[in-house]
Amino acid sequence: MIAKGGFLMDKSKLVITIERQYGSGGRIVGKKLAEKLGIPFYDDEILSMTAEKSAVGEKYFRLADEKAGNNLLRKIVGNLRFPAGIFDEPKTEGDVTSPDNLFRFQSEVIRKLAAEENCIIMGRCADYVLEGMEGLVRIFIYADMDFREKRTIEKEYYAAKDAKKNIKRIDRERRDYFRYYIGKY
């Protein structure tokens, strides 16, 4: 065991995934934890890395980021686990910018990061993409609505009159994303 930043760690792999409610401060917690442990923190960087690896424009990944695919039947049924072939290799021909294929590219990058180094990965269903991996620690950050609303307003993400509505919308989008790709939330 080695002590690092006040934490005891053995020399085995440590990959922490963090899912969070919008406005809960999950990103801040993740960054501080990464700093304390001396390991890399990945959030939006995953989109850039995925775009570079796939040669698909980053804007496509940003548009699809943590949003469910467009399969209406899956959205209605909502309790099936994984769209067919979701963990297959990404397609490099045909409809390479489909939401499912973008998810495959992103999942591939997440698996590569986790295999190569100890790290913290924010969102993007990483806890399920890496399911079964030795050394995986899953964290979910949440807060009550008053805290989230206040924080969102203070950070100037949304005006006071729009904050609660947008928090609920983003939570719904993230929930739908999880349900679409993972089959549960």
Side-chain angles (χ1 to χ4, degrees):
M1 297 282 237
I2 56 170
K4 187 153 191 144
F7 292 91
L8 289 177
M9 298 172 41
D10 63 22
K11 294 180 181 181
S12 64
K13 179 66 71 181
L14 174 65
V15 176
I16 300 170
T17 61
I18 300 177
E19 298 297 337
R20 76 282 186 209
Q21 289 180 315
Y22 185 77
S24 64
R27 183 177 168 85
I28 291 169
V29 170
K31 281 185 153 187
K32 286 187 180 196
L33 184 58
E35 204 174 283
K36 198 82 156 150
L37 294 173
I39 61 177
F41 173 81
Y42 296 103
D43 188 4
D44 287 340
E45 301 83 359
I46 291 172
L47 302 177
S48 303
M49 295 165 83
T50 305
E52 187 176 304
K53 180 183 181 355
S54 67
V56 173
E58 188 173 336
K59 70 179 181 180
Y60 291 103
F61 290 100
R62 291 207 177 274
L63 288 170
D65 190 31
E66 295 190 324
K67 291 183 180 68
N70 55 7
N71 183 330
L72 182 59
L73 179 60
R74 179 155 299 276
K75 286 181 185 177
I76 293 168
V77 175
N79 62 355
L80 300 175
R81 188 167 168 91
F82 310 122
I86 200 62
F87 289 116
D88 292 349
E89 292 289 315
K91 297 176 188 171
T92 55
E93 300 178 344
D95 191 8
V96 296
T97 60
S98 73
D100 290 355
N101 203 51
L102 295 177
F103 183 84
R104 285 185 199 105
F105 275 123
Q106 193 169 268
S107 297
E108 195 174 69
V109 167
I110 289 169
R111 284 190 294 273
K112 185 176 188 295
L113 288 170
E116 291 177 352
E117 61 188 353
N118 295 335
C119 60
I120 295 177
I121 300 173
M122 179 64 65
R124 295 167 185 83
C125 296
D127 52 342
Y128 286 95
V129 169
L130 300 173
E131 191 168 44
M133 178 185 170
E134 193 170 321
L136 178 64
V137 176
R138 298 171 165 180
I139 297 174
F140 185 81
I141 308 289
Y142 63 94
D144 65 35
M145 182 57 82
D146 290 340
F147 174 86
R148 296 164 62 205
E149 193 172 2
K150 181 180 176 197
R151 186 171 177 282
T152 302
I153 294 164
E154 284 174 359
K155 292 283 189 180
E156 298 181 355
Y157 295 144
Y158 296 104
K161 68 180 178 64
D162 299 325
K164 192 175 214 169
K165 172 183 69 173
N166 282 298
I167 290 168
K168 287 180 178 182
R169 176 186 53 80
I170 293 168
D171 280 349
R172 188 174 50 254
E173 287 173 356
R174 287 181 177 171
R175 181 193 65 230
D176 291 348
Y177 177 78
F178 250 82
R179 281 187 180 151
Y180 181 78
Y181 288 109
I182 306 307
K184 59 185 173 182
Y185 182 72

